[in-house]
Amino acid sequence: LLDDRDVIAVLPTGAGKSAVYQLAGVLRDGMTIVVSPLIALQADQLAGLADAPRAPRGAMLNSTIGERAEEELWEAVSAGDVEFLFLAPEQLAKDDVIDRLSRQTVGLFVVDEAHCVASWGHDFRPDYLGLGDVRDRLGHPPTVALTATAAAPVREEISARLRLTDPLLVVRGVDRPNIDLDVRRFSEKADKDRELRQLIPTLPRPGLVYTSTRRAAENLTAILRADGVRAETYHAGLSAAERRRTHEKFLGDEVDVVVATNAFGMGIDKPDVRFVVHAAVPESLDAYTQETGRAGRDGEPARAVLFYRSEDLGIRKYFTARTVDTEAVSRVYRTLVKAGTPLRIRALADKLGLPTRRVTGLVNLLVEAGVVVVDQKGATIIAVRRPKEAAALAREAVERRERIERSRLDVMRRYAETRDCRRKVLRGYFGDDGSASCRNCDTCRDGTAEEAAEPSADTPFPAGAEVEHVEWGRGSVVEVEDDRLTVFFGEQGY
């Protein structure tokens, strides 16, 4: 970064990703811009910066500060008094924010939780798609993309979306040997629920429990409280104040267990989490690794337990299904055609009489369909089609994403049902070296991991190899086993 080179860094949770941009930002001239998806995460990062000796001044720009405070912030930025500015990607969708920042010298551009930029990634945020254009308008400052989980296809998309130039790739693995990996399989829901309720009160605390639905989170919280466990619920249906209160109580050791949907995730900087339990199968191995990585950040022993019932995959497949409002997509396309010149998203939203966020999502569909491009001038038609054809292409793009998400579920099933070492499966998926069994997972303890034969060293399809399939096109080998290959195809998934 000090040599002006872009970087993609995939480092485990707790490995010091913040230190990367803090040190580089201090040593480079100009302001450091840190794009972070959650206000709570921004607050944690800002607090961590402030705790450092002789720390430079940092500030946050988000929807929680008032107009007066925002103007004072911009005055401080203009005066050169703010060295680190933390903001959410939706702030960078505002032209006035970009205009103000472009008048400053930006020494470093940081994209935290960079997997959010991958359109089929496990935590995709549409607002991240515009960050490549933001970099252009800021003069292409050296950029570091940071994440804890990114398989090879995600890393490639991060580089393409952010328009990085020959980025240095630093992958330090996902292996957290202090976390015991355990999968408990069930055929009956009643048996799974009963063991879940029995296990959680016996585990060392504090801990996290992830559920697939809000109702399941609330029901389990009530059961745990009845058993004397200090439990709280966290999901997106609660007010911001309730979610913030639960977050603060958990960090302050006033809560033993948080039962949550995946809304409770990024921004949890608590080193002594002793367990992460998944009451239902998550949507991908990426998400699972991200969530279990919140345990044992202090290096002490921790547990990750997945309660698995193959029928639960049906719920996840339901969540992957999306509907496309083709009429709304057609309206957006017609408006852009009629304009004849690039339109800013806000101007487009005004013409359509729709919320800006909804229009952003509709435009992103057209971008994925390959008929619209968005740059610093706004959204522009690049492929002339009839509006209905453009909408159909957008629908095909959504269907492609659904196929990829369903394939990621199949990879998750593979992890849950494997008889091989679970850590070895994880390492293989993320392209991390190491084939030896770990002795810290249930399959190793049961002895089944030893039954799996090592793949031949002279395989014609080693991990990372580029391959071509007559039906699915070009792909890259992700994992090699004695009886199968796992390959990622851009149009089809895994």
Side-chain angles (χ1 to χ4, degrees), residues 283-304:
E283 73 269 21
S284 70
L285 207 49
D286 305 71
Y288 180 71
T289 305
Q290 183 95 1
E291 289 161 2
T292 57
R294 291 168 188 137
R297 293 181 59 170
D298 54 7
E300 297 299 314
R303 296 183 64 182

Side-chain angles (χ1 to χ4, degrees), residues 162-488:
L162 296 179
R163 301 172 194 164
L164 304 183
T165 304
D166 184 29
L168 172 69
L169 178 62
V170 180
V171 181
R172 287 294 176 265
V174 297
D175 193 6
R176 298 283 302 286
N178 62 310
I179 301 178
D180 180 282
L181 302 176
D182 186 10
V183 177
R184 304 194 178 193
R185 295 179 61 179
F186 301 87
S187 56
E188 299 297 328
K189 183 178 184 300
D191 294 337
K192 189 185 86 164
D193 292 345
R194 181 169 55 253
E195 185 164 339
L196 181 68
R197 296 165 188 168
Q198 291 172 351
L199 175 69
I200 294 172
T202 70
L203 295 173
R205 304 165 188 171
L208 302 172
V209 181
Y210 284 102
T211 64
S212 58
T213 66
R214 299 174 184 179
R215 178 177 293 180
E218 292 169 352
N219 290 344
L220 184 55
T221 299
I223 291 168
L224 292 176
R225 285 176 174 173
D227 290 338
V229 178
R230 296 184 302 171
E232 293 287 348
T233 304
Y234 190 108
H235 58 66
L238 300 174
S239 69
E242 290 175 299
R243 296 197 303 272
R244 184 169 58 252
R245 185 164 57 249
T246 296
H247 189 193
E248 291 171 352
K249 289 172 69 175
F250 184 63
L251 294 178
D253 294 325
E254 299 173 44
V255 172
D256 294 323
V257 178
V258 173
V259 187
T261 61
N262 60 7
F264 191 65
M266 292 179 288
I268 303 173
D269 189 11
K270 187 171 175 62
D272 62 344
V273 175
R274 298 272 65 89
F275 72 84
V276 173
V277 168
H278 281 82
V281 64
E283 73 269 21
S284 70
L285 207 49
D286 305 71
Y288 180 71
T289 305
Q290 183 95 1
E291 289 161 2
T292 57
R294 291 168 188 137
R297 293 181 59 170
D298 54 7
E300 297 299 314
R303 296 183 64 182
V305 186
L306 169 61
F307 281 71
Y308 175 71
R309 183 169 168 266
S310 61
E311 289 80 1
D312 292 343
L313 290 167
I315 296 175
R316 285 297 178 191
K317 287 181 178 176
Y318 171 80
F319 285 145
T320 66
R322 291 183 175 87
T323 57
V324 179
D325 187 342
T326 52
E327 177 54 36
V329 175
S330 296
R331 284 183 60 205
V332 170
Y333 188 81
R334 281 196 300 268
T335 304
L336 289 173
V337 171
K338 188 175 180 180
T341 56
L343 277 181
R344 306 271 196 195
I345 299 297
R346 182 174 294 177
L348 182 57
D350 290 342
K351 285 180 176 291
L352 293 165
L354 295 173
T356 302
R357 193 169 184 83
R358 175 156 166 68
V359 172
T360 299
L362 294 169
V363 169
N364 285 338
L365 288 177
L366 291 167
V367 170
E368 287 192 55
V371 295
V372 167
V373 67
V374 178
D375 56 24
Q376 62 264 35
K377 296 179 182 178
T380 309
I381 300 291
I382 57 171
V384 179
R385 299 280 192 279
R386 288 185 301 170
K388 284 187 177 181
E389 289 177 350
L393 290 171
R395 186 173 62 247
E396 288 177 11
V398 170
E399 290 171 352
R400 181 169 62 249
R401 192 186 301 171
E402 286 181 16
R403 287 197 301 272
I404 289 172
E405 290 182 359
R406 285 195 297 269
S407 80
R408 286 165 51 218
L409 269 179
D410 289 337
V411 173
M412 191 67 228
R413 179 202 291 271
R414 171 90 181 86
Y415 170 83
E417 297 182 357
T418 188
R419 301 177 70 208
D420 198 358
C421 168
R422 299 199 193 279
R423 187 163 273 106
K424 188 158 62 174
V425 173
L426 277 177
R427 288 196 302 249
Y429 176 73
F430 288 102
D432 195 8
D433 293 334
S435 59
S437 297
C438 72
R439 299 298 168 207
N440 199 24
C441 70
D442 57 325
T443 52
C444 282
R445 283 190 295 273
D446 294 342
T448 63
E450 295 179 349
E451 298 174 17
E454 293 294 333
S456 171
D458 58 355
T459 173
F461 303 109
E466 294 294 316
V467 297
E468 188 158 355
H469 189 277
V470 66
E471 182 181 351
W472 301 324
R474 295 190 63 79
S476 56
V477 176
V478 175
E479 186 179 9
V480 184
E481 300 166 84
D482 59 325
D483 64 342
R484 80 186 74 203
L485 296 174
T486 303
V487 182
F488 179 81

